[in-house]
Amino acid sequence: APLKSKRVGVEQLSASPTSITSEAKDILAFLGGALIEENMSDRANEAITEDDTSRISRANILIDGECLLAAARLLRCVQDKSLYTPQHEQVMQVAEDMQESSQDLLHDPDDSWTRQSATSASAVTESNKNDGQRPTSIYYKISDGAKLECRVDCLVESSLLVPLLAVLNETPLYATWIPSWTVPISLGISESKQLQQVSRGQQVVHISCRVPWPLAARDVVLRATAADDIHDHQAIVVRMKTLSVQDDPIVPEPLPSVVRADFEGAILFRPCKKEEKDGEHAIDAPTNPDSTADEIPDETKQVMVSFKMYMDPHLSSIPSSVINFVTRTVIGTMWNMLLQVAEGVRDGKRPQHLQAIEERPELYQWIEERIQVLLSMNDAKGEDESQMATSTTARPCPNCDGDVKIRATTATQQEAKTAIDGSSNVGDLDFIAYLQT
């Protein structure tokens, strides 16, 4: 009741600190636009030192909102590990993989990678002629004779981001746009289907591939998981990883004539920084996660898309001619096709994708909303402190090594108010977890 009335202030908290929950204290601190002052430091620490049951409850809220990285950071503070469910264990493992992949993609490839090209991806069309070029760098490396790794860094206009996510998400339509080749070798997707929609941001996918004779056909079963890490790191992360029959009962046994390949991948979406935008080959500049972008008009706003994959087709070796074809032709062609299909979705020219989007309005409205938050938060970083009413401080966390850093902005205050009124998605409460992380 006091939380919903929004009339309980810091002074009333000081007078009756036990009258409301620690979660209410956290939200009220945000609504007040500042942290509890020094004379309330004991009660601030008390709010941080909440019980494990409350931490688990908050983590579940974050998981429901696809904020897996924030949920995992909160779950690691739980002292009683017996409270973990299998879902919690999986979230922490996926979050660890996402964190490692994100850190890797935030830094330039080292000397072990071969640079395949630095081009402007996708042709300039009537619909994108004002968007500018899309600087793209492609890297690859071959290990143990047959294991392929590739990486793509590409700047895309912000208007392409939701369509791009839609193309990646609609796995049953992969076979309709992923290129196939018959010369110089036979290569392509023969079938792609979704085995399970686990949650709004997670699905299990089965993809079958055609490969050159006399090799046996390959297939792969993946769990693709998307996480909203916007409030903490201004990013959306997608992690893809092979599932085996032992991992999940939904995974089918491979056919006798098919060899199951191993695959891992990650995609990182984040607002581009100034050094990545400026210059002909600016995306080769070292990437600093703490740097900020100059404010740019909405119509020219760009997002850095970084993609990395590893694939083991379970071959002892691959002929150099095949390696050259894959690294010089296949990777770049598939990436360009992905962008072209996303353009078609944006411009209303891909009826199958548009129908799939129309059939799931809740999902794609949520994606649109989160993208807008991502872009608006990037703008907010450069605004004047008086306009944003930003307060940042740090306090020691008794449950973890290190300080707790908390930002309270006009945007987060408004999100808290909307969430309390019950008119916002519960995932927008992810900022609450700052006090636990």
Side-chain angles (χ1 to χ4, degrees), residues 15-249:
S16 55
T18 61
S19 63
I20 59 175
T21 66
S22 59
E23 179 171 331
K25 294 179 187 179
D26 302 351
I27 298 178
L28 287 167
F30 278 101
L31 290 173
L35 286 177
I36 300 172
E37 300 297 332
E38 277 69 18
N39 63 351
M40 294 190 66
S41 60
D42 291 341
R43 293 189 180 96
N45 285 332
E46 183 179 304
I48 295 172
T49 318
E50 63 179 343
D51 62 84
D52 285 347
T53 302
S54 180
R55 292 191 188 99
I56 292 290
S57 177
R58 294 189 190 206
N60 290 337
I61 291 175
L62 293 170
I63 292 170
D64 288 341
E66 312 301 339
C67 302
L68 305 185
L69 291 159
R73 287 189 282 268
L74 188 53
L75 287 169
R76 293 189 188 104
C77 292
V78 173
Q79 304 298 311
D80 183 1
K81 309 303 182 186
S82 68
L83 295 176
Y84 289 159
T85 66
Q87 183 189 34
H88 296 148
E89 298 281 1
Q90 183 189 80
V91 165
M92 287 189 289
Q93 181 58 60
V94 170
E96 184 178 343
D97 292 342
M98 285 181 168
Q99 185 67 30
E100 182 179 346
S101 299
S102 298
Q103 289 301 314
D104 191 23
L105 289 171
L106 284 170
H107 296 87
D108 294 333
D110 58 30
D111 294 338
S112 66
W113 292 82
T114 299
R115 181 169 175 169
Q116 188 269 336
S117 67
T119 61
S120 293
S122 189
V124 175
T125 65
E126 186 65 26
S127 63
N128 71 8
K129 64 182 180 181
N130 296 321
D131 297 330
Q133 296 180 330
R134 301 188 184 110
T136 305
S137 288
I138 299 175
Y139 304 84
Y140 73 90
K141 59 181 174 181
I142 306 292
S143 58
D144 298 332
K147 298 178 178 65
L148 170 68
E149 292 182 69
C150 80
R151 170 171 172 166
V152 181
D153 294 310
C154 180
L155 287 176
V156 302
E157 60 274 21
S158 59
S159 65
L160 201 65
L161 192 50
V162 173
L164 189 60
L165 285 166
V167 175
L168 292 169
N169 184 65
E170 294 301 331
T171 51
L173 297 178
Y174 279 6
T176 68
W177 65 267
I178 293 181
S180 295
W181 291 266
T182 54
V183 290
I185 61 173
S186 176
L187 188 66
I189 299 290
S190 56
E191 185 182 28
S192 61
K193 58 184 178 181
Q194 183 187 86
L195 299 180
Q196 183 183 25
Q197 184 75 47
V198 182
S199 68
R200 183 169 49 188
Q202 186 177 111
Q203 59 179 309
V204 179
V205 183
H206 185 198
I207 301 174
S208 302
C209 303
R210 188 179 68 256
V211 296
W213 183 89
L215 300 176
R218 261 58 180 174
D219 75 347
V220 62
V221 178
L222 305 172
R223 177 187 285 127
T225 307
D228 176 344
D229 201 27
I230 294 172
H231 279 290
D232 284 355
H233 297 110
Q234 289 187 280
I236 295 172
V237 189
V238 181
R239 184 77 166 92
M240 298 151 283
K241 194 169 184 178
T242 301
L243 282 180
S244 68
V245 176
Q246 292 74 30
D247 293 329
D248 195 317

Side-chain angles (χ1 to χ4, degrees), residues 273-286:
K273 299 181 284 292
K274 186 177 187 299
E275 67 270 22
E276 294 170 326
K277 181 179 174 63
D278 294 343
E280 182 181 0
H281 302 297
I283 56 174
D284 291 328

Side-chain angles (χ1 to χ4, degrees), residues 292-320:
T292 61
D294 287 347
E295 187 174 344
I296 48 181
D298 288 344
E299 63 271 15
T300 58
K301 228 176 257 184
Q302 289 184 301
V303 175
M304 173 62 77
V305 181
S306 297
F307 166 73
K308 183 179 177 182
M309 59 148 278
Y310 162 87
M311 185 169 186
D312 180 2
H314 295 293
L315 292 170
S316 57
S317 64
I318 301 178
S320 59

